[in-house]
Each structure stands twice: as C-alpha cells, then as structure tokens.
Amino acid sequence: LIGEVSDELGMESYVIGGYVRDFFLKRETPTDIDIVGIGSGIQLAKKVAEKLKGKPDVSVFKNFGTAMIKYQGMELEFVGARKESYQRDSRKPIVEDGTLEDDQNRRDFTINAMALALNKVNFGQLLDPFGGLADLDQKIIRTPLEPGITYSDDPLRMMRAVRFASQLNFTIELESLRAITENKGRIKIVSKERIVDELHKILMSQVPSVGLKLLHQTELLPIILPELTALQGIEEIEGQRHKDNFWHTLEVVDNISRTTDNLWLRWAALLHDIGKAPTKKFHKKIGWTFHAHEFVGAKMVYKLFKRLRMPLNDKMKFVQKMVLMSSRPIILSEDHVTDSAVRRLVFDAGDHVEDLMTLCEADITTKNPKKQKRYKN
Ligand code: ATP
C-alpha cells in the first residue's frame, strides 16, 4: 500500500534501518518500521493513513519532519530523505532535504543503512551501498562513513555500536573501536537518559558481558560507570591475593542472565560488588577484607542512580536490597542484620525470590572448601 501511494504521489519510498536488518537476520519482525520517502515523509504518511482501514491518526512531528502511524500493533515512522550536518557541541544535526544516498550516509552502521524499495517498478530491490548485507554475514559493526566522523558527529553511536554488538553478538571493526576510544570524552554531550537506555539494552542482551567488555575496552566504562572500573585489578600483599571483582562481576551478570530476564536483577548483579572498591583493606591476620561492603554498595547504588538520572523509585530500592543481600553469608553473620530482616528482603523481592537466590548462589565462587561449607549452610 505504501508503494502504491508513493506511486500516486510520484514519490520514491523505501523501508530502511532496523526492519531491513532484522528481516535479513531472520530476527523477530520488528513492530517499528521506518519508511523514508524522497520528498515529504509527512505528506506520504497522511495519504497512507487515509487509505488504511479505520483511517488511523497520524502524529506529526513538524520540527523533526517526521510522522507516525500506529496501526495493528505496528508503528510506522515516515521521514523525508535528508542530509545532516553537525555542530561540535550538539547531537542535534542541521537538516536539509536530500536523496536516498544522503539519507543512507547519515545512518549509524552499514547494517542499519540498507533500504528496500517499495515502488512498483523496483519493489523489493535492496539498496545497500555500504555492504551491510555482507557485514551481517560476517557479524561486523561498521560505519558507512569514516568512523572518526560518525562517532564524533553523534557520540550516542558509540553506545549504539556496543549495544548492537552485544545484542547481536557481533564484533566492532577495529577502526571503529579505535575511533570510539578516541572520541570517548564526547559521550558527555549525550543525555543521561539515552546512555541509560543503551545500558538497559546491553544488560538485556543474551550475554551482557559482550557489551560490558566492549565498554571496558573502549574506555567508555570509566566515564559512565566508574564504580565498576574501580573493581578491576588484583592486589597482592604478603603473598595474599583477592579475586578481580570486575571480571567476577561480569561472570555473575552472565550467570544471572541465564536464569532471569528481569532487568533490575541484572542491574543488581552488575552492582552487587561496587562497595568492595572503597572498603578494601588488608589486615595482617585476616588478609583481604571488604567489611560491610554491602551497606556501602547499597548507598552507592542510590548515588549512581541519581547521577545517571534513573528514577529513584521502587526499582532502585529493589536493586539496593539485592546489593545488601548479595553476600548472603556475610550478611547473616552481621549482628545488626537479623535472619528475619533477610527473610523480609526476600519477601519484598516477590516473584523474583528464586532468581534472587540464584543471585546469591552465583556469588559464591570460593574454592575454599571450608568457606563453601559455611556458605551452603
Ligand atoms: P532497535 O529497534 O533494536 O533499537 P533500530 O535499528 O530500529 O533498532 P532505532 O533507534 O529505532 O533502532 O533507529 C532506527 C534507524 O534509524 C536505525 O536502524 C538507523 O538506521 C537510524 N538511526 C537511529 N539512531 C541513529 C543515530 N544516532 N545515528 C544514525 N542513525 C541512527
């Protein structure tokens, strides 16, 4: 139908972006469909809506030159092909009308720049100027233009690159990785909300450590979540070492992710040890200790949520509680946290109790048989 309407308007139109990518990946067909018209996307949307059953409303975003139709559970987003240029201090581009090529040039990754033609004459033809299909095949994230320009223009793309790599289990090409590291400081012009959106998506991917390792490798992690980077490293005093709590955390996150799709439990797993960096001490008699790190960690959760402008609501409290619980055996041995308090925490976790227990179990990675026995009890 969109093709027919485009023909009537004498306009070319294409499906572009995520829909095309996921179609070739045979992923679940996305409900968000991006359509680009060479001309007015708003006019195209209005004409399409008139012809659809029930004549759905068109939401027009004049400032962005886009229009959206919600229809049968789908969101059809229409935009006129455009050319973008950027100013140094803003993610907001200066926009002018453009050709399909211009529109493909402004896309973030080759795999997101593919377009399928909708007009009758070339219906279904794939327009793939940057080899997106081959990159899908080789599982690689690559930018259409020079990576330095792509990431500097819109630094959110750095997070998107990591997120797609994590969601699709792709690798980011070397030049892109370098460009991200070089431009890491520009992440500061991206709103906290957008960063958190991408973090959520990384955490919700099948193996979140893929994305977390990339954030670490590109040096974005110390800017976004310095509390985690602080966990890295093993110190040795008098022949006594402690485990590397950063790499341990990644293992715990992957473990939890095998058993639960709950985003907040995954956050809790990610943050369960953050109190360990500031509480680390070496005692001549006992060795390494992280005394009361759960309590310090829970406070840090609050600060971290606040800094990232995440809502300080019941979800935050849930994560805090999980962090408090994260070393169940240690907590139980603290005088001021009684058994019933722990039971209350578990009760508050509601439907997630089993996952919660898995979280606690997953934390028990000691090879010391004595400790293992104590932990089991
Ligand atoms: P998902 O729905 O899984 O997030 P998607 O690719 O549909 O994947 P959207 O954020 O909906 O992601 O973006 C739609 C399309 O718009 C992308 O496929 C890409 O072509 C383009 N796009 C989105 N954000 C950017 C950006 N920051 N820079 C360049 N192109 C972008």
Side-chain angles (χ1 to χ4, degrees):
L1 176 76
I2 299 171
E4 274 169 32
V5 175
S6 308
D7 282 339
E8 278 173 30
L9 290 171
M11 187 192 271
E12 287 172 38
S13 69
Y14 303 86
V15 190
I16 195 161
Y19 184 89
V20 182
R21 178 198 68 223
D22 288 350
F23 171 79
F24 284 115
L25 280 175
K26 299 192 174 67
R27 272 175 114 205
E28 211 177 296
T29 332
T31 49
D32 294 5
I33 306 175
D34 293 306
I35 291 134
V36 56
I38 315 304
S40 165
I42 297 176
Q43 188 194 9
L44 178 60
K46 285 183 175 166
K47 271 266 184 262
V48 168
E50 273 173 27
K51 301 218 170 179
L52 283 172
K53 236 206 240 147
K55 296 199 181 7
D57 288 338
V58 184
S59 319
V60 175
F61 307 97
K62 256 206 168 135
N63 292 350
F64 295 100
T66 62
M68 207 249 288
I69 304 174
K70 283 195 180 169
Y71 185 69
Q72 296 188 344
M74 291 179 290
E75 289 192 357
L76 305 169
E77 176 114 13
F78 293 80
V79 62
R82 55 175 60 179
K83 198 174 172 173
E84 291 182 345
S85 51
Y86 287 82
Q87 284 164 316
R88 187 88 191 139
D89 56 347
S90 165
R91 281 192 55 225
K92 213 171 153 246
I94 301 164
V95 173
E96 5 168 3
D97 292 343
T99 61
L100 176 69
E101 290 77 45
D102 291 329
D103 203 278
Q104 287 176 302
N105 276 331
R106 78 177 174 91
R107 304 274 159 177
D108 48 5
F109 308 115
T110 58
I111 59 168
N112 284 346
M114 295 184 281
L116 285 171
L118 294 174
N119 297 80
K120 200 167 181 189
V121 280
N122 56 351
F123 186 84
Q125 188 189 341
L126 174 69
L127 292 114
D128 179 18
F130 309 110
L133 202 55
D135 288 346
L136 277 186
D137 208 42
Q138 291 175 29
K139 295 172 165 277
I140 193 147
I141 306 285
R142 219 159 48 85
T143 56
L145 304 178
E146 209 256 299
I149 300 172
T150 300
Y151 295 111
S152 165
D153 275 353
D154 177 1
L156 174 64
R157 293 170 184 160
M158 304 194 279
M159 292 297 294
R160 286 175 59 89
V162 172
R163 182 258 286 196
F164 281 117
S166 200
Q167 283 181 324
L168 304 173
N169 199 14
F170 277 29
T171 43
I172 301 179
E173 66 151 357
L174 203 62
E175 279 175 47
S176 258
L177 280 177
R178 280 199 202 117
I180 295 176
T181 312
E182 269 165 32
N183 285 284
K184 63 184 179 205
R186 286 185 57 67
I187 197 75
K188 66 173 185 289
I189 69 164
V190 180
S191 76
K192 299 281 194 321
E193 289 76 4
R194 300 304 298 262
I195 293 177
V196 168
D197 273 352
E198 299 302 327
L199 282 176
H200 285 338
K201 287 181 181 168
I202 291 170
L203 274 179
M204 287 309 286
S205 52
Q206 211 179 357
V207 185
S209 66
V210 173
L212 296 166
K213 281 178 192 165
L214 284 168
L215 287 179
H216 178 64
Q217 189 184 344
T218 53
E219 297 168 22
L220 284 166
L221 197 66
I223 306 177
I224 304 167
L225 294 168
E227 298 85 349
L228 283 183
T229 319
L231 294 177
Q232 209 207 340
I234 303 173
E235 268 189 81
E236 182 169 334
I237 297 183
E238 295 178 4
Q240 299 213 49
R241 291 152 68 90
H242 61 80
K243 69 178 177 223
D244 186 312
N245 287 304
F246 174 70
W247 296 103
H248 157 75
T249 292
L250 299 197
E251 272 174 41
V252 173
V253 174
D254 284 350
N255 278 347
I256 295 299
S257 303
R258 277 193 282 276
T259 60
T260 177
D261 282 339
N262 182 287
L263 173 65
W264 303 104
L265 266 182
R266 290 182 179 205
W267 265 105
L270 184 69
L271 304 181
H272 82 285
D273 263 353
I274 52 173
K276 281 193 172 169
T279 55
K280 183 164 91 175
K281 277 205 180 77
F282 183 79
H283 291 277
K284 270 199 160 14
K285 279 191 190 147
I286 327 170
W288 290 103
T289 66
F290 305 90
H291 183 70
H293 76 84
E294 303 84 356
F295 301 97
V296 174
K299 277 190 190 157
M300 288 169 74
V301 166
Y302 173 84
K303 285 194 182 147
L304 184 149
F305 268 58
K306 202 167 170 195
R307 188 186 73 236
L308 292 179
R309 304 228 174 85
M310 290 161 80
L312 302 171
N313 56 11
D314 55 331
K315 304 288 191 306
M316 190 277 295
K317 285 187 191 145
F318 175 73
V319 175
Q320 274 192 314
K321 282 177 186 171
M322 294 305 107
V323 171
L324 265 176
M325 289 274 300
S326 64
S327 307
R328 182 173 46 135
I330 297 168
I331 279 215
L332 287 171
S333 68
E334 294 282 341
D335 289 344
H336 48 291
V337 181
T338 63
D339 194 12
S340 69
V342 172
R343 256 190 273 124
R344 210 169 51 236
L345 291 176
V346 175
F347 180 74
D348 284 353
D351 292 336
H352 305 301
V353 172
E354 271 184 30
D355 295 330
L356 165 66
M357 297 328 280
T358 318
L359 172 69
C360 298
E361 299 298 335
D363 194 26
I364 299 167
T365 52
T366 178
K367 298 220 162 59
N368 177 338
K370 246 191 194 167
K371 269 194 184 171
Q372 267 180 1
K373 202 170 160 212
R374 206 180 88 210
Y375 285 2
K376 276 209 182 97
N377 290 339

